[in-house]
Amino acid sequence: MSIALNPSTAVLTPLAGREREVAELLALIRRPAMRLVTVSGPGGVGKTRLALQVAEASAGDFAGGVAFVRLDPIRDPALVVATIARALGLREAGSESWFERLTAYLRGRDQLLVLDNFEQIIEAAPVVSDLLAVCPGLTILVTSREVLRLTGEGDFPLSPLDLPAVGDASIAAIEQTGAVTLFVQRARAANPGFRLTPEVAPVVAEICRRLDGLPLAVELAASRIRMLSSRALLARLDQRLMLLTGGARDQPTRLQTMRDAIAWSCDLLVPAEQTLFRRLSVFAGGFGLEAAEYVGGQGDRGTGGQNDGPLLSPCPPVPLSPFDGVASLVEKSLVRPMDEGKRHEPRFAMLETIREFGVELLGAAGEEDETRRCHARWMLGLAERAEPELVGPRQEEWLDRLEAEHDNARAALAWAIETRDAETAQRLVGAFWRFWATRGYLTEGKTWTERALALGDASPAVAAKAHHHLGNIALDLGDYELARTGYDAGLALWQGIDDRRGLASSYNGLGLLAFYQADYREARRLHETSLAIRHELDDRQGLGNSYSNLGNVANAEGDYARARELHEQALAVRQGMGNTGGVAYTLFNLGDVARQEGDFERARRLFDQSLDLFREVGDILGVGYALYDLGKVAHLQKRDEVAAALFAEAIRLRQELGDKRGLVECLEGLAPVAHGLGDLLLAGHLFGAVEALREALDVPLPPTEIAAHTRDVAALRGRLGAGRSREAWDAGRAMTLEQAIDAAQALTTRIPTPTHVPEATTPVDRAARFNLSEREIEVLRLVAAGQTDREIAETLFISPRTANVHVANLRGKLGVSSRAAAVALAHRHGLV
C-alpha cells in the first residue's frame, strides 16, 4: 500500500526559484541504477523543502509509495532504524529486532524513503547501505549538511538561489532570479501591498545578494516587510543575524532563526574544528590553504616582509591539520570551495551569513583581537612578498593574487586603523600602492593611505614610503597639490635617515610632477639626479623608470631622436627584468614619439602592442593611456568614428579611476573629432571646457601639442565665425567636468558603432588566452549585458541548465567567483 506524506511534512507553500533543481533531482532518483542520493548543503539552503517537493512530485513513480522521515530530533545513531520503522507505522514484534522488522516490511516493495537531516547521526550511515542491500526495490533520498560517503551514493549539492547581477536595475531581470522570486512571494504573504517597483527592485536585489541567496535567510528577511520598508531592511543587514529571526512556529527550532540554523551545524563539530572555523571567519572574500595554516598556527612565523614591527606571532596552534580541518568544514557545508580558474592553489570561502556567525563566536571566545592581529600579519607578509614581483616576470600572477585578497587587505587595514597601529597600516599601504594604481583602485588607495598616515608617523622608513606613494597616487589622479605634499614629506624623512634609494624615488616623483606641470628643465634636472643615484645603487627597476621619464621629457621638448634613444634604453632594462607592465609603458612611449614625428601607422602598431600588454597584466591605468592615444592616431588618420569610440572607452576607464587630468586630455582629444563628425557647437564647448579645466588643475598644454591645438581651434573658429565661437567657448568654460563628459558621451551615442577596431583589441584574439570557446565568448557578452541564465538560454535557444553550465565554466576559466567579477575581468582584458 502507498504511504502518504505525514501531515506535518505536507507542502503548504509553493517552492520558489528551484524549478531546475526539482527537475534535476527527480531525473536523478528515477534512474534505475541510482538508489541513493544525498542532497547536501549548508543550513538554511532549503534541502528539506526541496526533498519534500521532489517526494510529493514522485509519489506516482513508486508503487510502494513515499515516506518522509525526520531525523533531526535524534542524536543517537543507534535509534535511526527504530525511528524509520516507527515513521512507517511499524511496531515492535516479540524478539524480532527493529532492523529485521523494517527490512521484512520493505523487502520487495518499490518504495522511496526520504531521510531528512542526517548530519548529526552520520555514524549511522552504514545502516543506509544495509537497507539498500537487503531491499532491492528501495530508493533512499537523504538530506544532510555532509554526504554519507557510501558506495553508490549520488551527491546533489544544493547551492543558494541564483541572484541578480550586480548593477542590474531591470525589474524584468531582477524578478526572474530565484532569490528575488522567493523574497517577493514571502514579502507579499507578510504584507499584501508589497510591490516590486522600479525603485524597490534594486533594493530587494541587494538584500538578496547580502543574504547570499540562502532561502531561509531570504524568507526570514522578507517576513520583516510587514514592519520595515525594503530600504530600512537593507540598512539593518549589517547585523543580519539579529534581524533574521521569527520563523514559522511549526518549523523545527533550528529553522526559526538563521543563527539557530548555523549553530546546529557548528555544534556538530569537534572542538578543534570549532576553533578553526572561528578563526577562518576573519577572512573576507575567501582564503587559501596557506592562509588557513597561518591562522591555524602552523604557518610561517615571519611575514617575509621588511620587519616584524609590532605584530605578534601567529595564532596558537590548533590540534588539527588545517588541510584536514578545511576539508572537514567543506564536507559539513560551512566552508565552500571557490572556482579555481587559473589558480593552481585551491581557494575557499564562507557564505557571509555563516561568516558573521563565526565572527560572533570568535568574539564570544575572547579570541577576536588575537586572530585579527594574526590575519593582519599574514596579509602584510603576502603584500610585501608581492611588492617586488609586481615589476617582474610574474607580475600578472601576483596582481591576480592580490586582487583575490583585496577584501582581506581591506579588512586588515580597517583593523590596523581601528587599533591605531600606524606601523602596520603604513606598511600595508606602502606595499599595496602599485596594485591599486595598476588595477584601477586609485581613489580607494588614496583614502586608505590618507587614513593610515593620519595615525601619525610610523618608523621613518615606513612613513616615508607611505607619504611617497600617496604622492604617486595623487599624481595619477591629477591632484598635484597633494602629490607635492606627499613627495616633500617622503623626501624629508628619507633625508633624515640618509636612505639613498628613497631619495632617488623622491627626486623621480618630483620630476614627474614638474613634467606634468610643463616645467621640463626642472623635470630633467630631477630625473637626472635620480638616475645618478640609481646607477650608484645598480637599481635596475629604478634605472628603467629614469630612462623612461627622461625620454618623455625629451619627447615633450621635441628632441625625438634623444627620446627614442632613452626609451630604447628603458626597454632593454625592462625586458631584461621580465617587467611586462614596464615594457608596455615603454612601447606606449615609443608610440608617442612616432606620433609626434608623424609616423601614424608605426604609432598605431606600438599603441596596439602596449594595449595588448596592459590588458595582459590588467593595468587599467595603462589601458586608458593606450586607448586615448589610439584615439588621437585614429583622428589623425581621418577615422573619426573609430576615434570617438576609443575616446569614449578611455573616458569610461578614467571615470572609474577618478583621473581628472586623464579625463581632460580625453575631452581635448574629442574636440577635433566632434568637429570632424560635424558637431561644431560641441567641439567649441569641449575646447572651452578643456581650456578652463586645464587652468583649474594647473595642467598646461605640453609645448609639442600647442601647434596642433592652435590649428584645430583656428579651423573650428573659421567655420563657426567669431560670434558663435565666442558663445560656444563661453558655454564650455562654464561647464563642470561632469557636464563636459555628459556632452562628450552624447556624441558617441549618436554615431554608429565603428566597423574597425585595432587588431590587438579584438576580443576573439584575447579570448584564446583564457581558452574560451566561441559559444563561451557569446555567453560572456550576454552576462556582461546583464542577462540572467534564463535570459541567456532564451537568447541562444539552449536549456537553462546548459546556460548555467556555460556561466559556471566561464567563471572557472576566468578564475573568478561571481558573475560581477567575470564581467569586470572581461572588460579589463578586452574580452567583450
Side-chain angles (χ1 to χ4, degrees), residues 329-495:
L329 294 173
V330 169
E331 284 184 356
K332 294 173 173 62
S333 301
L334 288 166
V335 167
R336 58 193 176 109
M338 300 173 72
D339 293 329
E340 288 191 30
K342 297 180 293 176
R343 294 188 300 269
H344 298 298
E345 288 297 316
R347 191 168 175 80
F348 306 90
M350 293 180 187
L351 295 173
E352 279 303 303
T353 309
I354 294 175
R355 194 171 84 85
E356 182 178 318
F357 182 79
V359 172
E360 279 190 6
L361 294 181
L362 198 63
E367 301 169 349
E368 186 169 4
D369 286 346
E370 182 179 42
T371 306
R372 289 201 181 280
R373 188 175 294 111
C374 176
H375 171 265
R377 180 189 179 88
W378 163 79
M379 187 67 250
L380 179 57
L382 180 67
E384 290 183 344
R385 279 163 47 206
E387 194 175 4
E389 301 285 356
L390 300 185
V391 290
R394 300 170 63 200
Q395 63 190 149
E396 183 186 7
E397 173 190 336
W398 277 93
L399 284 165
D400 286 343
R401 187 166 181 184
L402 291 184
E403 187 85 60
E405 304 297 355
H406 199 185
D407 283 338
N408 280 312
R410 292 169 172 133
L413 277 166
W415 172 83
I417 290 168
E418 180 184 342
T419 57
R420 303 197 59 79
D421 185 345
E423 189 82 4
T424 300
Q426 290 175 30
R427 280 174 65 184
L428 272 168
V429 298
F432 250 85
W433 82 272
R434 191 180 297 277
F435 164 78
W436 284 325
T438 301
R439 284 291 168 92
Y441 299 101
L442 284 168
T443 303
E444 180 180 354
K446 172 178 173 286
T447 300
W448 283 120
T449 306
E450 288 180 319
R451 289 179 66 191
L453 288 168
L455 299 174
D457 281 347
S459 59
V462 169
K465 184 177 175 183
H467 280 293
H468 178 78
H469 290 325
L470 177 61
N472 284 337
I473 291 171
L475 187 73
D476 284 334
L477 288 171
D479 188 342
Y480 297 143
E481 183 178 349
L482 180 61
R484 182 169 297 282
T485 299
Y487 289 143
D488 284 346
L491 176 62
L493 286 165
W494 273 322
Q495 284 175 331

Side-chain angles (χ1 to χ4, degrees), residues 4-55:
L5 290 175
N6 225 309
S8 66
T9 59
V11 178
L12 300 177
T13 57
L15 181 61
R18 291 295 195 194
E19 296 79 6
R20 175 178 59 82
E21 289 87 349
V22 169
E24 291 177 354
L25 188 52
L26 275 170
L28 196 59
I29 66 172
R30 283 169 176 164
R31 291 183 192 171
M34 186 57 67
R35 298 177 56 214
L36 171 62
V37 178
T38 298
V39 180
S40 61
V45 81
K47 301 182 295 295
T48 297
R49 188 63 183 79
L50 177 65
L52 279 168
Q53 187 76 26
V54 168

Side-chain angles (χ1 to χ4, degrees), residues 104-225:
Y105 174 81
L106 291 173
R107 190 180 290 112
R109 294 178 67 89
D110 180 21
Q111 174 98 40
L112 174 64
L113 189 60
V114 182
L115 303 180
D116 184 48
N117 234 94
F118 212 99
E119 61 267 8
Q120 80 283 1
I121 45 165
I122 201 76
E123 295 87 351
V127 168
V128 175
S129 288
D130 294 341
L131 287 174
L132 290 169
V134 177
C135 307
L138 181 63
T139 298
I140 297 180
L141 177 61
V142 176
T143 73
S144 174
R145 298 184 193 186
E146 60 179 303
V147 294
L148 307 190
R149 289 194 287 180
L150 296 175
T151 303
E153 178 183 18
D155 181 18
F156 191 90
L158 187 59
S159 299
L161 294 165
D162 62 304
L163 294 163
V166 175
D168 197 340
S170 161
I171 291 185
I174 289 172
E175 67 183 354
Q176 288 181 26
T177 57
V180 173
T181 299
L182 177 62
F183 185 95
V184 171
Q185 181 191 97
R186 298 297 190 265
R188 285 179 179 166
N191 178 1
F194 177 80
R195 293 290 180 270
L196 203 65
T197 65
E199 294 75 26
V200 170
V203 179
V204 170
E206 182 59 22
I207 289 170
C208 292
R209 283 193 288 266
R210 292 279 299 278
L211 297 174
D212 306 305
L214 275 173
L216 177 60
V218 171
E219 289 191 35
L220 293 172
S223 71
R224 296 299 188 183
I225 290 296

Side-chain angles (χ1 to χ4, degrees), residues 268-280:
L268 300 177
L269 302 176
V270 300
E273 290 174 332
Q274 291 175 344
T275 300
L276 184 61
F277 169 73
R278 293 194 300 268
R279 292 187 188 176
L280 292 176

